[in-house]
Amino acid sequence: MAGTRYEFETELFRWEARRDLWVFARLPEDVSEDIRLQPHPPAGFGAVKVIVTLGASRWSTSVFPESADGAYVVAIKGSVRRAEGVELGDRVRIGVETVL
């Protein structure tokens, strides 16, 4: 069941905690706060199930908070980056829809 949909621009960044290349997009603070206040099925690490759209690519995944009260982030897989022709550091337009 679909929840709320958000669209925003953000920059792709490298997750520094990993040695291999993991690329993420950070959700804006206001979007993160809105998601945080919605009821969601319980999930580990504060994760929230979402459907993400980047260009013509659409996939199911989860967003999770960078910290207890920080913005949510979402991983952008290499296959999606290649399909959409985007790279680390690029600004992209992303759609995120919460799943209830």
Side-chain angles (χ1 to χ4, degrees), residues 62-78:
S62 294
V63 295
F64 61 92
E66 284 186 282
S67 62
D69 58 354
Y72 281 94
V73 295
V74 62
I76 309 298
K77 300 184 287 186

Side-chain angles (χ1 to χ4, degrees), residues 23 59-60 75-82:
V23 176
W59 69 100
S60 296
I76 309 298
K77 300 184 287 186
S79 59
V80 171
R81 296 192 313 271
R82 285 188 295 279

Side-chain angles (χ1 to χ4, degrees), residues 12-25 74-82 86-90:
L12 300 181
F13 71 96
R14 181 185 184 124
W15 189 256
E16 295 296 336
R18 301 289 302 221
R19 288 181 185 236
D20 47 345
L21 181 62
W22 282 56
V23 176
F24 283 78
V74 62
I76 309 298
K77 300 184 287 186
S79 59
V80 171
R81 296 192 313 271
R82 285 188 295 279
V86 297
E87 300 176 2
L88 185 66
D90 286 350

